[in-house]
Structure formats: C-alpha cells, structure tokens
Amino acid sequence: MNKRDGEGGPRKHFDAAQEHDASANPSSSVVAAFRVFQQELDTKHDKYERLVKISRDVTIESKRTIFLLHRVTNVPDAEEVLNEADVKLDAVRQKIGQIAEELRGEDIFQFHRAFTPGIQEYVEAVSFLHYIRHRSLISLEEINARLVFMRADKADTKGSAEALPLGAQVLTFQVTPADYLLGVADLTGELMRMCISSVGNGDIDTPFQLSQFLRQIHDGFSYIGNTGPYEVSKKLHTLRQSLGKVEDACYALRVRGSEIPKHMLADVFSSRTTLMDTEEGVV
C-alpha cells in the first residue's frame, strides 16, 4: 500500500506540473484572451490619467480667470479685464478640445469622473464672465456651442517621417446638465464675493442686482429639489448661505446705508458676514 502511494505521489506531481505548463503556455487561448484584457485595461487607465491631468490644467486656468474677473470692481476700464478673460477662456477651451479628442469613440461616462472637476470650474468661470457682461445666466446650449473643435486627420506614409493631412474633422464636447448645475451652484459664491467688493467700492446698486439674480437661481434649484444629482443637493446649502449674505448686505445698505460712510461699508458688511458664519458653525 505504501509502495503504491510512493509510486503514485511523483506521478501525480508530474501530471500537475504538465497541467500548469499547459495553462502557462503563451499560445494558450485563455492566456491570450487575458492578455487582450490586460491591454484594454492598461489603455483605459492611461487615458483616464491623461484626462485627469488635462482636467487639472482646466481647473487651474479657470480659477485664474475667476480671480482676474474679480478685478472688474477695482479697475477703471473693466472691458480690458473682460477681454483678457476671454483670451484665457479660449486657452481653456483648447484644453477641453484635448479632452474631446481623448474621448473620441469612447463612452463619456466611463471617464466622466476624470474630467468633471475641470468642466465644473470652466462652467463657473464662463458663467461669471457672462454675468458681468450681460447680467444674466448663460445657458447650457450657449456653453456647448463654443465647445466645437476642428482637428486635422493625419496618415503616416511609409518611408517618410512626416504625416500628410487628410482633412479636418469636427469634434464636439457636450457639458452634461449635472456639470452645468454644479458649476452654476459654485458661481453663487463668486457673486457673493463680487457683492463684497462692490460694497467696498461704494457701489450700492450691484448688491441689489446680485440679490435678485441669486434669488432667481435659488428658486430654480428649488424646483429640482431632491430629484437632481446628489452633489447638487449638497451645494444647495452653500448657495443659500451666499444668498443670505448678499441679502444681509442689501438689508444693511437699505436700513443703515445713509448713516455709514461709503469707505466703511465693506468693514460693516464683513463683520456681519463673519458673525453669520460663526452662528452657522462655518468658522
């Protein structure tokens, strides 16, 4: 009995080794299939990382544009600032064109998390510029109409290091409604800061315009309620805070504006804003 077990042991290990070698054979169909899967996953991962990097660049340049736009309340020639902001946003759109090129032929929602922060920041910047110029909210259709790009198709020729242009191809990038809403929600914070700057410069008309505009945005978000994306409901609280601070500034201007010197209005408003933040647990 022991002899047979002794003879059968090595045989069993030999057969198992043969099965392992067969499974590890590069020509095996199973191994070949998994190598294809590996290539597909690596390709998608590399594309995802490229989109994250482009989105980071879009975010940075959009924030710089927003900071630039806040200067309109402090400079004599606002149009010069707005034109400079236009140039910056054109450069941002070229970055978004790179995103559109990466997504050519792909399912956008497989990579949406990679670039949504940058797109939301772009919506915030372009809507801020639009409000300063037109005192209205830019529509999703207007934003998407500017995200149309021309890309030249090229083909490599054998024996030549240069590529021959075959023609232009139109690429479009469509901002999703969720990204649009999230960008508009962030816009309200910038409008609240614009209100503070306007008060500091003795401008008592802009805060009342901003208060009415923010109230309209708040009413619009109220229609969405809990039916919208989860992130929208989270930002609704911040929107209400911004609206409350602007309305508080308008109240102070209306009731005490005639008693307070213009150069002290910003200090009074800032102190009241800090008090509100403390009561709400923000500070």
Side-chain angles (χ1 to χ4, degrees):
M1 194 69 180
N2 293 334
K3 184 177 180 180
R4 290 181 180 179
D5 290 341
E7 292 177 354
R11 179 65 182 180
K12 180 184 290 188
H13 291 303
F14 178 77
D15 293 339
Q18 281 190 326
E19 291 177 1
H20 180 269
D21 292 339
S23 63
N25 187 355
S27 62
S28 171
S29 59
V30 176
V31 173
F34 272 88
R35 283 184 174 173
V36 173
F37 300 152
Q38 179 189 9
Q39 292 176 355
E40 291 180 358
L41 292 174
D42 287 345
T43 301
K44 287 185 179 297
H45 181 266
D46 292 343
K47 185 183 293 290
Y48 190 94
E49 292 301 320
R50 290 195 299 270
L51 288 170
V52 168
K53 183 178 182 303
I54 299 173
S55 174
R56 192 179 299 116
D57 294 340
V58 171
T59 300
I60 293 172
E61 293 304 320
S62 297
K63 284 183 180 295
R64 288 174 178 170
T65 304
I66 293 172
F67 295 151
L68 171 66
L69 288 171
H70 277 295
R71 291 172 49 196
V72 297
T73 58
N74 302 316
V75 296
D77 187 8
E79 193 60 33
E80 182 179 350
V81 175
L82 297 180
N83 291 335
E84 185 178 351
D86 274 328
V87 174
K88 286 183 174 293
L89 287 178
D90 283 338
V92 174
R93 279 189 277 271
Q94 295 304 313
K95 292 286 185 181
I96 297 178
Q98 296 178 21
I99 296 178
E101 196 163 0
E102 290 284 352
L103 294 175
R104 185 191 305 187
E106 299 283 357
D107 180 6
I108 182 176
F109 292 103
Q110 285 189 1
F111 303 94
H112 183 248
R113 291 176 62 89
F115 59 82
T116 180
I119 299 303
Q120 291 176 30
E121 200 71 34
Y122 167 74
V123 171
E124 182 181 355
V126 74
S127 59
F128 192 26
L129 173 61
H130 185 87
Y131 176 80
I132 294 174
R133 273 205 169 123
H134 305 288
R135 289 299 191 266
S136 62
L137 179 64
I138 191 171
S139 67
L140 176 61
E141 290 74 19
E142 290 178 279
I143 291 177
N144 286 332
R146 301 180 186 179
L147 300 179
V148 180
F149 312 97
M150 301 295 293
R151 290 292 186 268
D153 288 339
K154 295 182 178 181
D156 294 329
T157 55
K158 295 182 179 179
S160 175
E162 298 180 353
L164 299 177
L166 296 178
Q169 182 180 8
V170 178
L171 289 177
T172 60
F173 182 90
Q174 297 293 302
V175 176
T176 64
D179 286 342
Y180 171 74
L181 289 174
L182 293 171
V184 171
D186 290 335
L187 167 68
T188 59
E190 304 305 329
L191 295 179
M192 185 267 293
R193 294 179 183 90
M194 182 179 178
C195 176
I196 298 175
S197 300
S198 300
V199 172
N201 294 327
D203 182 1
I204 61 175
D205 295 326
T206 298
F208 291 96
Q209 296 175 358
L210 289 171
S211 176
Q212 183 179 5
F213 181 66
L214 287 174
R215 172 57 63 182
Q216 293 174 349
I217 293 180
H218 177 268
D219 292 343
F221 274 92
S222 298
Y223 281 112
I224 298 175
N226 294 328
T227 59
Y230 172 69
E231 293 84 356
V232 174
S233 61
K234 285 177 57 180
K235 292 193 176 185
L236 187 58
H237 176 68
T238 305
L239 191 159
R240 287 171 178 159
Q241 284 183 325
S242 300
L243 175 61
K245 292 172 183 178
V246 172
E247 288 181 338
D248 187 71
C250 293
Y251 172 80
L253 290 172
R254 184 72 72 188
V255 175
R256 302 184 57 197
S258 59
E259 342 179 316
I260 305 173
K262 287 187 175 181
H263 68 278
M264 296 180 61
L265 285 173
D267 295 335
V268 173
F269 176 57
S270 298
S271 63
R272 291 175 65 88
T273 300
T274 303
L275 178 62
M276 290 178 62
D277 289 341
T278 305
E279 292 175 350
E280 294 171 357
V282 176
V283 178

